[in-house]
Amino acid sequence: MSDTNDAGLIIRKETVAVEMATTRGELLRGEVFLRPRGDEDRGERLLDVLAQRWFVPLKTAERVVFVATRHLAWARLDLLAAIDELDAEAEDSEASSVARVLVTMADGTRVEGSVRYAMPSPTNRLGDYLEKLESFFPLRTDDHVYLLSSTSILTVVPLEEKR
């Protein structure tokens, strides 16, 4: 039996292509489901989903796999698809800092890219930013945005810092 109120139970979602690596080095490819941008809502970001959920559904070619976020080293999205993952306040602020870094992950993966952050002076150094990291944070490369797990990082080597 179908109820005409069933439409109110449907949660609109869009998919975003993503590549994920577990802390054991296993690569997963597929699409994640995110709430789309609304008239007054910026929509759901993968960064928020990774920080708030224990498991993220990943739609692969074969099936849906629920990936435990605590065992993710990183998630990688195409740069254009990941624009909303970046910190809008830091991107818009002329007072924001940019650091080019080389990050080594626990699984041996090395990623070179940049982080942009806005913090009040005199706490606007890279070390200050790293001390306040959330569970995942964005690292931008020329082609991708990596959402790196702060608990899976071994080292961060600053290559250049602009304040």
Side-chain angles (χ1 to χ4, degrees):
M1 183 166 140
S2 178
D3 186 10
T4 56
N5 292 331
D6 285 348
L9 299 176
I10 297 172
I11 300 172
R12 286 190 28 207
K13 296 285 184 171
E14 61 185 23
T15 58
V16 177
V18 65
E19 183 175 22
M20 298 176 168
T22 68
T23 54
R24 292 185 176 179
E26 180 183 3
L27 243 47
L28 306 166
R29 289 183 181 89
E31 297 176 316
V32 292
F33 302 94
L34 301 174
R35 191 180 69 249
R37 180 181 299 239
D39 294 334
E40 296 179 18
D41 183 18
R42 74 172 184 188
E44 196 170 39
R45 302 182 309 162
L46 181 55
L47 199 56
D48 299 328
V49 171
L50 294 174
Q52 296 168 1
R53 294 189 190 165
W54 286 97
F55 291 89
V56 174
L58 178 71
K59 179 181 166 189
T60 68
E62 299 84 32
R63 64 182 64 89
V64 173
V65 177
F66 290 89
V67 181
T69 55
R70 68 185 169 280
H71 295 295
L72 275 180
W74 53 263
R76 181 172 69 187
L77 298 101
D78 180 66
L79 183 60
L80 293 177
I83 291 300
D84 289 336
E85 302 296 335
L86 303 174
D87 182 349
E89 180 183 329
E91 294 293 322
D92 293 340
S93 172
E94 290 183 21
S96 66
S97 300
V98 179
R100 186 133 188 98
V101 295
L102 176 61
V103 178
T104 303
M105 306 297 290
D107 68 354
T109 300
R110 295 167 53 113
V111 183
E112 184 176 328
S114 60
V115 292
R116 181 180 293 267
Y117 51 94
M119 296 177 66
S121 186
T123 62
N124 60 344
R125 299 169 300 193
L126 177 62
D128 299 319
Y129 170 72
L130 294 174
E131 287 299 320
K132 301 214 181 302
L133 285 180
E134 299 291 329
S135 55
F136 286 85
F137 70 98
L139 178 82
R140 184 186 339 194
T141 68
D142 290 339
D143 299 319
H144 298 96
V145 170
Y146 284 80
L147 304 178
L148 301 177
S149 169
S150 57
T151 60
S152 294
I153 293 175
L154 290 181
T155 61
V156 177
V157 177
L159 303 174
E160 182 181 6
E161 191 173 356
K162 296 178 185 175
R163 289 183 278 213

